[in-house]
Amino acid sequence: MSTMTVVRDERTVAAENAGYRWGFLVLSFGLLLATAWRSFVRGDTSWDLLALVILGGAVTTAYQASQHVLSRRWMMFSVAAMVGAALLAIISVMTR
């Protein structure tokens, strides 16, 4: 009989991944709020913060694409989100 203890199992990996996901979400939405605050309240340009948010999503997407885990449904939602964001940006610029 073996007396070795299990240090990492599937539950540990799942908890770590969930923690990374929550950290990424907090960081991304925090940067988006900081970007909105700098832009709307202070009137500053905040392309640097917005670029960090976009780069973080692009790195995640590129890694998942390289591992072949992205679905057709994911692609449809991503395209819809990009079109919606572009329309919202156009409307925002037109009303200023």
Side-chain angles (χ1 to χ4, degrees):
M1 191 184 264
S2 175
T3 60
M4 293 179 56
T5 60
V6 176
V7 178
R8 290 175 49 94
D9 60 355
E10 296 86 11
R11 188 176 48 115
T12 305
V13 172
E16 286 176 352
N17 289 339
Y20 294 143
R21 179 180 179 271
W22 278 105
F24 178 77
L25 287 172
V26 167
L27 183 64
S28 294
F29 283 104
L31 280 171
L32 283 173
L33 287 174
T35 301
W37 177 265
R38 283 172 77 180
S39 180
F40 293 125
V41 175
R42 294 175 50 188
D44 295 342
T45 58
S46 48
W47 293 108
D48 54 343
L49 297 179
L50 194 57
L52 283 173
V53 172
I54 292 169
L55 182 63
V59 167
T60 303
T61 302
Y63 179 77
Q64 290 175 352
S66 73
Q67 299 298 314
H68 305 288
V69 296
L70 301 178
S71 66
R72 188 174 306 275
R73 182 175 183 235
W74 178 90
M75 182 62 82
M76 303 246 320
F77 278 121
S78 295
V79 170
M82 285 187 270
V83 168
L87 289 174
L88 187 61
I90 290 169
I91 291 169
S92 176
V93 168
M94 298 285 247
T95 59
R96 269 196 155 185

